[in-house]
Amino acid sequence: MVDPLLQELQRDSRASSGSLAKMLNREEAAVEAQIKEWEKDGTILGYQAVVDPDRAGATHVTALIEIKLTPERDGGFDRIARRIAKFDRVSSCFLMSGGYDLAVTVEAENLRDVALFISEKLSTLDGVLSTATHFQLKVYKQNGFQIETELETQRLAVAP
């Protein structure tokens, strides 16, 4: 079970140690020490802001790439997955169950850059059997945060 302190930090990483201590009925010094320990041992890898791409004026393209792999002897998918995860364009990489082996999220300036990344980097790797690419069109929820965008509905008046 995940520590409630970690859960609260995932929900709001900017919460003060004092407010976290009060919320969780712990001593502030104990909360600060635990956070420092998690940062030191790699439990907490970093902190990020969840950004509404429309309000931030983002113009990049995000793609989810499904990759089918040939597992390696004595290594399975780990070596090639770690190699793929090291590419700068890759923002996330997950081993999956189901019809494909890896789900890779890629960010690029445009569709052509994604296509070049797939054809020149991914497809050329030993062990990559096939890829299927899906482009993100709109974000509704990201990392647990609902992206609130106003619906612009232009309804016609109902005539009698």
Side-chain angles (χ1 to χ4, degrees):
M1 181 170 193
V2 176
D3 188 304
L5 175 56
L6 266 180
Q7 290 175 330
E8 286 302 318
L9 285 170
Q10 284 182 297
R11 192 183 61 72
D12 181 7
S13 64
R14 293 186 62 185
S16 69
S17 54
S19 67
L20 289 167
K22 186 175 182 180
M23 181 186 320
L24 299 170
N25 198 25
R26 298 184 186 179
E27 294 292 323
E28 185 173 353
V31 167
E32 289 173 354
Q34 182 62 71
I35 292 170
K36 284 183 180 167
E37 179 61 30
W38 284 331
E39 290 171 345
K40 183 179 176 184
D41 74 13
T43 300
I44 294 176
L45 299 173
Y47 300 92
Q48 289 185 333
V50 179
V51 177
D52 181 329
D54 291 334
R55 291 179 192 236
T59 58
H60 67 274
V61 173
T62 302
L64 173 70
I65 304 170
E66 301 172 355
I67 305 174
K68 289 185 183 181
L69 301 170
T70 301
E72 295 178 330
R73 174 171 288 170
D74 299 326
F77 300 114
D78 286 345
R79 193 175 72 74
I80 192 163
R82 286 190 175 109
R83 188 170 176 197
I84 290 170
K86 287 182 181 178
F87 285 115
D88 289 339
R89 292 229 184 274
V90 174
S91 59
S92 62
C93 181
F94 303 99
L95 181 64
M96 304 296 290
S97 64
Y100 55 95
D101 303 307
L102 291 182
V104 175
T105 306
V106 171
E107 295 183 5
E109 292 300 313
N110 53 50
L111 299 175
R112 185 173 186 276
D113 286 347
V114 173
L116 287 172
F117 173 74
I118 293 167
S119 65
E120 294 177 0
K121 303 288 185 188
L122 281 182
S123 296
T124 61
L125 293 175
D126 287 337
V128 173
L129 298 175
S130 66
T131 64
T133 305
H134 309 273
F135 289 97
Q136 177 181 297
L137 301 178
K138 185 174 181 177
V139 179
Y140 295 98
K141 189 173 188 177
Q142 183 174 335
N143 295 355
F145 289 90
Q146 192 85 20
I147 306 294
E148 299 294 333
T149 56
E150 293 183 28
L151 295 176
E152 295 180 19
T153 55
Q154 298 283 334
R155 297 186 73 185
L156 298 175
V158 178

